[in-house]
Each structure stands twice: as C-alpha cells, then as structure tokens.
Amino acid sequence: MKNEAYKRKVPSGVINTPAYRIQSRVMVLKGGSDALHLMGNIGREEDDLINVIAEDDSYYIGTFCEGFGFFDVHFLKENVRPMNKEEVEKLNRTYHTISGRVLGKNHYDYDGYWIGNQ
C-alpha cells in the first residue's frame, strides 16, 4: 500500500490556490448563485445559510448549514453576504434535532460567529 499525502481536489473551474483556514462563520449565499463542488454546481435558488471555514483569493470554502453534507463547497466571495440582524435572531431561535431528539440550541453573534450552546 502506498503512503501518499492527501491532495485536495478542487472543483473544475476553480483556480487551485492555497486556502487559508479562518474562524468558522455563518454567512448567506445569495439565491441563484453557484456553489461549486466535485459533484457539480449545487447552488440553491433562494438565499441559504452557509458555514464558511476557509477562504482563498476569490472563494469562501465551506458547507451549507442544511442539506446533504457536501464538504469543500466553493462559493464566490461576491455571491456571499453577512447575515442581517433578522437572520441572526431567527437562527438563534432554532433548535437542532436528530430523529426528533433535541440536541441543543446554538447561539451566534451578529457577525455570524458561534458563541456557544444554550
């Protein structure tokens, strides 16, 4: 068995530049925008929350907050915006559940950074 370093695959159409990890932050992908993944464009028709964990010169890299769990999705920076006050308050009122079991409620500040569980 060969021991090879993992080489990060980048979706076609995305420049292979180094991505820099940043503090995880929830932002909004504007509706109708591209979300590039190895499986293709998985963008949504309406505004949707994304969790950003890295960035390079042109793209934020992360996941959708809800969905099938695709990792390393590339979002053009110009198609992403910070959450507004109403979106943060709505997010802070939601509970996280799995199979009907309540796991908790996360709390975010107005910049989209996670504060903690409540």
Side-chain angles (χ1 to χ4, degrees):
M1 182 163 79
K2 288 185 177 180
N3 247 346
E4 291 184 14
Y6 171 74
K7 293 183 180 177
R8 186 169 157 263
K9 294 180 182 176
V10 179
S12 61
V14 175
I15 300 169
N16 190 7
T17 58
Y20 301 98
R21 289 196 63 79
I22 59 175
Q23 183 180 358
S24 180
R25 179 179 183 190
V26 176
M27 300 179 82
V28 177
L29 177 67
K30 298 174 187 174
S33 300
D34 291 344
L36 303 175
H37 187 264
L38 290 172
M39 300 294 288
N41 181 7
I42 57 171
R44 312 277 170 88
E45 291 300 317
E46 296 180 7
D47 289 1
D48 206 353
L49 296 178
I50 59 173
N51 187 33
V52 175
I53 60 168
E55 69 177 318
D56 63 16
D57 293 337
S58 303
Y59 292 91
Y60 286 118
I61 302 164
T63 62
F64 283 100
C65 288
E66 294 180 351
F68 293 110
F70 291 106
F71 291 95
D72 285 339
V73 181
H74 288 63
F75 310 97
L76 262 174
K77 286 185 175 181
E78 61 201 37
N79 296 335
V80 175
R81 64 173 175 79
M83 289 189 294
N84 60 37
K85 184 178 178 181
E86 293 80 24
E87 290 167 332
V88 172
E89 290 172 356
K90 180 180 177 184
L91 180 62
N92 285 336
R93 288 191 305 265
T94 59
Y95 287 88
H96 300 283
T97 63
I98 294 179
S99 299
R101 181 177 175 199
V102 176
L103 300 176
K105 183 168 122 173
N106 288 328
H107 187 68
Y108 296 88
D109 67 11
Y110 288 108
D111 291 324
Y113 295 106
W114 182 72
I115 296 173
N117 290 334
Q118 291 182 340

